[in-house]
Amino acid sequence: MTEPFEDDRDDGGLEAFAQATRVAEALLFASATPLTAEELAHSIPSGIDIGQVLERLTELYAARGVNLRQVAGGFAFRTAPDLSYLLAAEAEPPRKLSRAALEVLSIIAYHQPVTRAEIEEIRGVATAKGTLDILLEAGWVRLRGRRRSPGRPVTFGTTPGFLDHFGLDRIDDLPGLEELKGSGFIEGRLTRDLAVPVPDDDPDLRADEDPLGDLFSPLDDGDGGPHGAGG
């Protein structure tokens, strides 16, 4: 691949590109969350192609202890895969999710926006409120809006934090049904004819969703009252 510096830029252009690369590098290291190309472009010298800057950084860090990766719709430095074991002892212990939580998370990811009652219909069992609370507290699931149906039940969707944690750039990078079964995200309790839809985490409300409004009002599941506890 041709190096970005080896082109027809004059010395001033090379200096501007080098400075843009340094700026982007500093911003990426300092950010706790992935940054989009658009966010980075606002801070580099005008006239510099942010795509080339990111390509240059990707090349520079390809063989280093950290790599530049595309995650959650943006870019971030992450430990090189072959060295991740070195940091395992220092890293925060991974959050342990129950089988029920894994099922609920996968259903939300693929079927969003989805209500609690719809989750239970897919799973075939009641879902404890605590299960959803765990996913909300983890930052992987968010309240989207309220369904335009009796009881105005809350709809759930995934977050950029979900993509980042699972190393995904976009929601449609999620695995297919067989991969989900193999990884334990989907268990035998789900119906045999379950179809995995094309996931879509567009943050805009759908035609059948209203804004959340007052979060302190009772959250109904669409059947006139809360469900009983379940898995």
Side-chain angles (χ1 to χ4, degrees):
M1 179 179 290
T2 301
E3 293 286 334
F5 293 118
E6 298 174 356
D7 55 20
D8 295 329
R9 295 188 183 95
D10 56 21
D11 290 343
L14 291 174
E15 182 177 349
F17 185 86
Q19 178 65 9
T21 303
R22 295 180 66 237
V23 168
E25 180 182 33
L27 290 172
L28 288 164
F29 265 116
S31 178
T33 58
L35 298 176
T36 66
E38 291 73 19
E39 290 170 330
L40 292 166
H42 289 313
S43 300
I44 67 173
S46 60
I48 301 296
D49 184 347
I50 188 59
Q52 288 191 348
V53 170
L54 290 167
E55 182 179 339
R56 175 61 174 169
L57 285 173
T58 299
E59 293 174 352
L60 287 173
Y61 282 90
R64 297 188 181 181
V66 293
N67 304 147
L68 183 62
R69 294 178 53 194
Q70 284 189 256
V71 290
F75 294 83
F77 284 114
R78 293 290 184 264
T79 303
D82 63 314
L83 299 179
S84 59
Y85 73 95
L86 294 172
L87 303 181
E90 303 296 332
E92 180 181 348
R95 185 180 296 269
K96 298 293 185 181
L97 293 182
S98 66
R99 178 184 301 175
L102 285 172
E103 289 181 0
V104 170
L105 180 59
S106 63
I107 289 170
I108 292 173
Y110 282 92
H111 292 264
Q112 59 187 305
V114 62
T115 67
R116 179 175 161 184
E118 291 165 348
I119 293 170
E120 293 175 344
E121 182 179 358
I122 293 172
R123 292 186 67 221
V125 295
T127 298
K129 182 178 182 297
T131 300
L132 286 166
D133 288 342
I134 289 172
L135 299 176
L136 289 165
E137 290 168 6
W140 299 339
V141 167
R142 69 183 180 92
L143 306 178
R144 286 180 49 94
R146 289 183 183 271
R147 182 79 78 211
R148 291 182 180 176
S149 62
R152 299 183 65 241
V154 167
T155 55
F156 297 91
T158 55
T159 67
F162 166 80
L163 297 176
D164 191 6
H165 181 83
F166 290 99
L168 303 171
D169 181 32
R170 304 184 311 176
I171 195 69
D172 55 11
D173 290 334
L174 281 168
L177 179 58
E178 293 306 315
E179 293 171 287
L180 285 173
K181 288 181 178 178
S183 64
F185 269 73
I186 290 183
E187 297 292 335
R189 284 184 289 176
L190 297 178
T191 59
R192 291 181 178 273
D193 59 350
L194 172 68
V196 175
V198 177
D200 181 3
D201 60 357
D202 186 342
D204 293 336
L205 294 177
R206 310 291 172 83
D208 61 349
E209 289 181 289
D210 285 323
L212 283 169
D214 183 6
L215 288 176
F216 294 98
S217 62
L219 303 185
D220 189 86
D221 292 310
D223 62 354
H227 285 274

